[in-house]
Amino acid sequence: MESTAADTTRIGVDRDITLWYVSSVKAKHRKTLEAIYRHPVSGTIKWSDIEALLGAVGAEVDERAGSRVAVILEGQVHVFHRPHPSPETDKGAVRDVRDMLREAGIQP
């Protein structure tokens, strides 16, 4: 079976070894990933969908003070502000999530 970037997840084993494996990413996560990479940037992606996608690709999501959330992916820590009262993520945060995913090699 031939794999694509959309159906692979990278797991960091240590600084020198990275393993790739094919995973069954749910269709909902794939749609969220595609929405994150869409141009122009969307301001209607629910933060809960982004958090679910991050969990599916192996990121650790930790609560911080206030409405901040730390996302640890590939050993890098990124801090985001959970949107409120609206559940939609603003365009700037979507760009930042896209940049984080791109650095980790996760693309649709």
Side-chain angles (χ1 to χ4, degrees):
M1 178 169 104
E2 189 173 292
S3 65
T4 64
D7 61 359
T8 59
T9 302
R10 190 163 71 177
I11 302 274
V13 176
D14 63 27
R15 292 182 79 82
D16 299 322
I17 302 171
T18 300
L19 298 176
W20 288 88
Y21 72 95
V22 176
S23 67
S24 56
V25 176
K26 291 182 178 182
K28 181 173 177 107
H29 299 317
R30 193 166 294 151
K31 287 180 184 178
T32 302
L33 184 62
E34 289 169 358
I36 290 169
Y37 276 88
R38 192 170 295 130
H39 291 283
V41 177
S42 175
T44 62
I45 304 171
K46 291 184 178 179
W47 178 255
S48 59
D49 292 343
I50 291 174
E51 276 194 55
L53 167 66
L54 294 172
V57 298
E60 182 181 335
V61 180
D62 290 330
E63 300 292 323
R64 295 283 171 100
S67 56
R68 289 184 295 270
V69 178
V71 177
I72 300 126
L73 181 63
E74 300 261 320
Q76 299 292 318
V77 179
H78 304 270
V79 179
F80 298 96
H81 184 266
R82 181 178 281 128
H84 61 83
S86 172
E88 284 84 22
T89 308
D90 67 54
K91 292 178 182 184
V94 172
R95 279 189 213 100
D96 292 343
V97 169
R98 181 176 56 208
D99 292 345
M100 175 188 66
L101 292 171
R102 186 176 288 130
E103 286 176 21
I106 301 168
Q107 298 183 6

